Amino acid sequence: MALFAIFQTTFFLTLLSLRTYQSEVLAERLPLTPVSLKVSTNSTRQSLHLQWTVHNLPYHQELKMVFQIQISRIETSNVIWVGNYSTTVKWNQVLHWSWESELPLECATHFVRIKSVVDDAKFPEPNFWSNWSSWEEVSVQDSTGQDILFVFPKDKLVEEGTNVTICYVSRNIQNNVSCYLEGKQIHGEQLDPHVTAFNLNSVPFIRNKGTNIYCEASQGNVSEGMKGIVLFVSKVLEEPKDFSCETEDFKTLHCTWDPGTDTALGWSKQPSQSYTLFESFSGEKKLCTHKNWCNWQITQDSQETYNFTLIAENYLRKRSVNILFNLTHRGETRVVTAHRGH
């Protein structure tokens, strides 16, 4: 009976090893095709968000894989972007990836497809690319309404000097459409009979209430309608200058700096930049209520040296500078590093 039990155990382990081997061979031989591809949109960020799973991945196994993604615009043959995404994939895992479009998504229909290949040291070369998934069509125009003319993007926020792409969509191809930036006519590229795109290079700051862009549709001398947008162009957030701290009573540190240009924009599109003090030795931080100074309470413990990072931040960018302050040298500060944020 004992001999039979040993034989049965050995047989079971051999069978388990065989199944594991067959599973690995299956993964090596069969392309692991991406399936259940779904694409959603974020119009504020002008981005496509992809999610998918992998077919034929062995149970409870992890593999390093490369996914190649193609994005087309207007029609599937017009491929505008190709790129690879590498990651480790688990069994039954839902994968995610995002892509940001320079052209507002409302301007044109997009198509997405994906294929994959195993890129794992557990499997010898060569490995083969899977078939492409089916094209997934993404159209935002259906939700824009039935007006005869649209201009996109709506209320976009950018920094001064940024390149921006806008477009108009005309429902009636018989209309003649003219577009203007602050009253000066601009000319663009026709993407299809209904859509024309405009590339605005290094947009300037004009006013804190935004830059006006509008398009007018007409037939002959008769106006068919006008639509416009406000492009919010912010001054570039500056790195704080002359950052220093001092104390007179060894109870409070008084830190000051020059904030530079205020990046606030009108209609609460972007408030003034905020400032935060972070002290690395204690791990504590404080949101400052003023734009050019902040007080820090000195603790009653033995801490003598403070390593401060002053962080300036708005919706578009972060900037930071550092100083090292020693209580034993009253009023003295020393700049250690200056980090430029994005």
Side-chain angles (χ1 to χ4, degrees):
M1 181 65 70
L3 181 62
F4 176 78
I6 293 172
F7 173 79
Q8 189 178 38
T9 302
T10 303
F11 176 79
F12 175 77
L13 292 175
T14 302
L15 182 61
L16 184 61
S17 298
L18 179 61
R19 286 179 177 173
T20 302
Y21 171 77
Q22 289 174 336
S23 175
E24 292 178 350
V25 170
L26 182 67
E28 180 183 354
R29 298 296 183 186
L30 289 181
L32 302 180
T33 308
V35 295
S36 304
L37 175 62
K38 297 179 181 178
V39 185
S40 57
T41 61
N42 184 323
S43 292
T44 302
R45 292 185 172 271
Q46 295 174 13
S47 62
L48 301 179
H49 181 76
L50 283 60
Q51 68 174 56
W52 69 93
T53 57
V54 175
H55 188 53
N56 291 334
L57 189 69
Y59 183 67
H60 285 171
Q61 191 171 75
E62 295 184 6
L63 289 176
K64 293 180 180 179
M65 298 186 66
V66 178
F67 298 91
Q68 187 168 107
I69 302 161
Q70 276 191 357
I71 299 175
S72 297
R73 185 176 284 154
I74 300 176
E75 54 187 26
T76 56
S77 60
N78 181 32
V79 177
I80 61 165
W81 191 90
V82 179
N84 290 345
Y85 167 58
S86 300
T87 188
T88 299
V89 185
K90 300 178 182 178
W91 179 79
N92 212 27
Q93 180 182 1
V94 178
L95 297 160
H96 299 268
W97 181 85
S98 294
W99 174 80
E100 189 170 314
S101 174
E102 293 181 359
L103 180 75
L105 296 178
E106 296 89 348
C107 301
T109 300
H110 288 77
F111 301 88
V112 181
R113 68 177 182 174
I114 187 171
K115 66 179 180 179
S116 64
V117 67
V118 174
D119 185 28
D120 200 298
K122 293 194 292 287
F123 299 116
E125 298 290 347
N127 287 315
F128 303 97
W129 284 100
S130 71
N131 294 325
W132 285 106
S133 68
S134 300
W135 285 106
E136 282 294 308
E137 180 178 339
V138 186
S139 178
V140 186
Q141 289 187 5
D142 295 339
S143 62
T144 56
Q146 297 302 315
D147 290 351
I148 62 171
L149 183 65
F150 299 91
V151 183
F152 299 105
K154 300 293 186 183
D155 298 338
K156 186 175 180 64
L157 173 63
V158 298
E159 277 186 337
E160 183 179 24
T162 303
N163 298 335
V164 179
T165 301
I166 68 168
C167 80
Y168 73 74
V169 179
S170 176
R171 301 288 190 191
N172 187 350
I173 63 174
Q174 304 301 321
N175 283 339
N176 177 42
V177 180
S178 300
C179 295
Y180 302 87
L181 170 64
E182 289 292 321
K184 182 179 179 180
Q185 187 170 4
I186 54 178
H187 302 279
E189 176 189 0
Q190 188 173 35
L191 302 183
D192 70 19
H194 296 276
V195 180
T196 294
F198 303 85
N199 296 316
L200 309 179
N201 295 321
S202 191
V203 293
F205 172 85
I206 295 178
R207 65 181 71 87
N208 65 2
K209 291 186 178 181
T211 300
N212 297 315
I213 302 169
Y214 69 92
C215 298
E216 184 176 14
S218 61
Q219 287 195 38
N221 295 323
V222 180
S223 175
E224 296 289 326
M226 181 184 296
K227 281 293 177 69
I229 60 171
V230 176
L231 180 65
F232 290 93
V233 182
S234 165
K235 286 285 189 178
V236 178
L237 178 63
E238 297 178 29
E239 181 182 282
K241 300 179 181 65
D242 302 325
F243 179 34
S244 64
C245 298
E246 62 181 8
T247 182
E248 297 296 332
D249 56 8
F250 286 88
K251 295 180 180 179
T252 302
L253 280 173
H254 181 63
C255 300
T256 61
W257 61 89
D258 176 4
T261 303
D262 192 344
T263 63
L265 294 174
W267 301 316
S268 300
K269 185 63 179 178
Q270 176 174 261
S272 296
Q273 61 264 31
S274 64
Y275 292 89
T276 302
L277 266 182
F278 172 73
E279 203 287 305
S280 63
F281 294 133
S282 64
E284 296 181 0
K285 65 179 179 180
K286 177 180 181 180
L287 180 63
C288 301
T289 56
H290 301 275
K291 289 193 298 184
N292 60 348
W293 65 272
C294 200
N295 284 338
W296 185 275
Q297 297 304 309
I298 296 174
T299 58
Q300 299 305 311
D301 57 21
S302 59
Q303 182 174 349
E304 294 183 351
T305 303
Y306 292 79
N307 187 4
F308 284 117
T309 300
L310 176 64
I311 303 167
E313 183 176 7
N314 63 11
Y315 289 154
L316 298 171
R317 185 185 290 267
K318 284 185 180 181
R319 300 281 200 188
S320 63
V321 291
N322 292 69
I323 63 169
L324 194 66
F325 181 85
N326 195 311
L327 286 179
T328 61
H329 299 85
R330 180 184 298 194
E332 293 185 8
T333 62
R334 182 162 60 93
V335 176
V336 179
T337 56
H339 301 295
R340 296 187 179 274
H342 298 281

